[in-house]
Amino acid sequence: MKNAGIISVGTEIMRGKIDDTNSTFIARWLKDCGIKLKFRLSVEDEINDIVSAIKYIEECDLIILTGGLGPTKDDLTREALSKFLNKKLVFQENEWEKLKYFFNKYIKIPIADSNKQQVELIEGGEFLRNDNGTAPGMFCNVNNKIFILLPGPPKENQPMIKNYLFPKLKESGFITGDIYTRVFRLYNIGESTVADFFKDFNEEIEIGYYFTQTGWVEIHLSKFITTSDDLDKIQPIIKKAENILTDNKVFFTEDKDLSQLVLELLIKNNQTISFAESITGGNISGEFVKNPGSSKALLGSIVSYSNESKQKLLCVSEESLLKFGAVSEEVVKEMVIGLKKTIGSDICVSISGIAGPDGGTEQKPVGLVYFGFMFGDKLIVKKEIISGVRSRIIVRCINYVYVEILKWLNSK
Ligand code: ATP
């Protein structure tokens, strides 16, 4: 088994100003790649300290350094590695042209001469492209020992690891397999509840739970595999995870947006859809049209807030609005029937609710939402009380609508 060491470079780390999350991320990634992590070190932005750290772990097959690749005087990682390897740093004219173009186009400030050090390459090394910043990474294979330099910011180094370092390590034969990952998206459920379902799931696979800002929980099952046999062995484990979710009546999907899954099924079944949105202000439709080809299924939408517009555009009766209020079972029912009359799609959806923070009462609190669905001629009205702040309530309404439609389409 190959082994590795990580050195995180930065005075900010040594003084406790920032947490060394790079090492944690890389440690997990190495594990996923089947590489044993032997050392995790941190050093200041001091050239001699960086060299000492490399010397300390020089027995490792793979040595990864993060941070200190910027344009300033205290960015010394490149220089330290060149000193350790006793190889020159060579200025790369073509990379400099690319960097100048990047500054001109995206940063819109004149490039400084100090940036030149970012395009100096250690003799025999290769750059690793940085799609999210100015400092390229570096890959040096010296007698089958690999040295990697990565920029400090996680948003720069994580995509670099995935998109450029991993393929490079595979290409050079250092990694002889692949990371298989299966993602489940779970809706209307908390991360801890999910973790609880899996407390007795002790399989030979990495499991991670992630709560996304967009309102769902993701389960990632991943394993480093080297043969098709390995892949076959994983399948029963994936099935077991799926069964846990099904047994606990959890709604889950593959790693795709709900609206995309809905669109795919609508197109497959040759069906159309429309929305009458109150609380979500057009965001359900907005989500739908993010998907290319959405006009094949979406006939139209009505965003209706005032009572007058509900009457005019959706034929809601004044009597119901006065008697039950705009946020009521009766009104969403009339909204969806009105939508069916006006637009006539196969599936019609209406929604009305109180997103807050104002406007709630004891009988109708913030978070109260009514949903109306017409699947063909079948009318269904649902009521939910959704907790959270305004933005979260709106996101959960959108997810709720798509989950209900998906459940219906899947049951056909
Ligand atoms: P830049 O080109 O942005 O200067 P750099 O490669 O020189 O990148 P540093 O200057 O060392 O990197 O760090 C830049 C920022 O990256 C830090 O302020 C911090 O936000 C983040 N960072 C650096 N090292 C780490 C680390 N080990 N873990 C998490 N974040 C880090």
Side-chain angles (χ1 to χ4, degrees):
M1 190 183 205
K2 302 263 199 229
N3 61 46
I6 306 171
I7 304 169
S8 42
V9 180
T11 304
E12 281 171 300
I13 298 164
M14 297 304 283
R15 303 211 175 145
K17 279 196 180 159
I18 58 164
D19 285 335
D20 177 17
T21 55
N22 283 345
S23 295
T24 310
F25 178 84
I26 296 168
R28 285 199 196 117
W29 173 75
L30 288 168
K31 185 172 184 299
D32 287 346
C33 294
I35 299 169
K36 181 175 166 53
L37 177 60
K38 282 194 82 168
F39 299 101
R40 264 175 83 157
L41 305 181
S42 300
V43 287
E44 295 220 5
D45 296 300
E46 285 291 339
I47 195 154
N48 292 334
D49 292 354
I50 305 172
V51 173
S52 303
I54 305 174
K55 277 189 185 150
Y56 189 74
I57 63 169
E58 68 180 309
E59 70 186 76
C60 293
D61 304 309
L62 174 68
I63 295 177
I64 303 178
L65 294 104
T66 76
L69 295 189
T72 57
K73 277 217 289 294
D74 61 357
D75 289 311
L76 295 162
T77 312
R78 233 178 265 105
E79 219 176 306
L81 183 60
S82 115
K83 190 171 170 190
F84 171 82
L85 293 173
N86 197 19
K87 284 180 183 284
K88 281 202 204 93
L89 278 165
V90 186
F91 176 71
Q92 304 293 312
E93 190 67 49
N94 56 343
E95 283 300 315
W96 178 238
E97 289 306 316
K98 282 192 216 160
L99 195 58
K100 279 203 286 194
Y101 176 79
F102 185 89
F103 261 76
N104 199 11
K105 183 143 194 234
Y106 299 106
I107 307 186
K108 297 195 191 312
I109 51 164
I111 193 162
D113 248 15
S114 58
N115 283 95
K116 282 191 171 164
Q117 68 177 21
Q118 293 188 283
V119 293
E120 287 179 345
L121 186 63
I122 289 177
E123 280 175 304
E126 285 173 58
F127 281 130
L128 293 170
R129 209 169 117 176
N130 188 344
D131 291 329
N132 303 287
T134 57
M138 218 183 286
F139 181 98
C140 302
N141 186 340
V142 184
N143 304 326
N144 289 331
K145 190 184 280 293
I146 293 177
F147 297 86
I148 305 295
L149 303 186
L150 297 172
K155 74 169 179 26
E156 295 181 29
N157 62 43
Q158 293 183 8
M160 188 181 283
I161 291 170
K162 187 165 162 253
N163 300 328
Y164 302 111
L165 177 57
F166 183 70
K168 190 79 211 147
L169 288 171
K170 276 189 73 174
E171 182 194 305
S172 60
F174 191 87
I175 290 179
T176 49
D178 235 319
I179 300 170
Y180 170 92
T181 307
R182 173 70 195 270
V183 178
F184 296 107
R185 286 192 188 187
L186 280 55
Y187 293 86
N188 305 323
I189 195 160
E191 223 173 328
S192 50
T193 316
V194 180
D196 211 39
F197 292 153
F198 282 84
K199 66 179 187 307
D200 299 322
F201 183 77
N202 300 314
E203 301 295 330
E204 281 291 300
I205 201 159
E206 276 297 301
I207 183 160
Y209 311 99
Y210 307 96
F211 183 76
T212 68
Q213 288 310 310
T214 21
W216 64 81
V217 173
E218 284 184 6
I219 302 181
H220 288 212
L221 296 173
S222 46
K223 190 161 172 77
F224 183 72
I225 54 170
T226 48
T227 62
S228 61
D229 250 20
D230 287 348
L231 187 59
D232 291 345
K233 276 189 211 143
I234 295 177
Q235 299 317 313
I237 302 178
I238 302 291
K239 187 78 203 140
K240 194 166 173 187
E242 265 183 35
N243 289 345
I244 291 176
L245 296 174
T246 319
D247 292 349
N248 284 288
K249 302 195 170 23
V250 179
F251 179 82
F252 65 92
T253 66
E254 59 185 297
D255 191 20
K256 268 189 191 174
D257 285 348
L258 284 170
S259 62
Q260 189 186 345
L261 292 167
V262 166
L263 175 64
E264 283 171 6
L265 283 174
L266 288 174
I267 291 177
K268 187 170 155 223
N269 299 343
N270 205 11
Q271 284 192 312
T272 55
I273 196 161
S274 61
F275 303 100
E277 301 189 49
S278 194
I279 178 170
T280 44
N283 281 299
I284 300 176
S285 317
E287 201 53 43
F288 198 77
V289 299
K290 277 184 192 162
N291 304 299
S294 53
S295 57
K296 289 195 186 100
L298 182 69
L299 294 191
S301 285
I302 295 171
V303 176
S304 167
Y305 271 71
S306 69
N307 283 356
E308 293 70 31
S309 75
K310 286 189 178 69
Q311 286 173 253
K312 274 196 200 141
L313 303 172
L314 293 162
C315 319
V316 175
S317 70
E318 187 178 11
E319 193 195 342
S320 300
L321 285 161
L322 291 176
K323 194 165 166 197
F324 304 107
V327 181
S328 63
E329 183 177 335
E330 189 53 37
V331 167
V332 285
K333 194 161 110 188
E334 290 183 26
M335 280 169 76
V336 78
I337 293 171
L339 184 69
K340 180 90 183 171
K341 253 193 233 148
T342 318
I343 295 192
S345 51
D346 299 307
I347 296 178
C348 295
V349 181
S350 66
I351 180 166
S352 181
I354 305 164
D358 307 319
T361 62
E362 210 170 303
Q363 288 80 31
K364 293 189 176 182
V366 168
L368 172 69
V369 188
Y370 286 93
F371 303 84
F373 297 91
M374 278 195 78
F375 298 111
D377 291 332
K378 190 173 169 65
L379 175 70
I380 300 169
V381 174
K382 297 219 169 198
K383 171 188 169 184
E384 287 291 325
I385 296 181
I386 298 172
S387 61
V389 294
R390 184 178 177 85
S391 55
R392 183 176 151 90
I393 291 173
I394 292 175
V395 165
R396 296 197 75 161
C397 285
I398 299 169
N399 289 343
Y400 186 95
V401 162
Y402 283 116
V403 166
E404 289 305 306
I405 302 170
L406 210 50
K407 280 184 186 164
W408 174 266
L409 290 170
N410 281 333
S411 70
K412 294 292 110 200

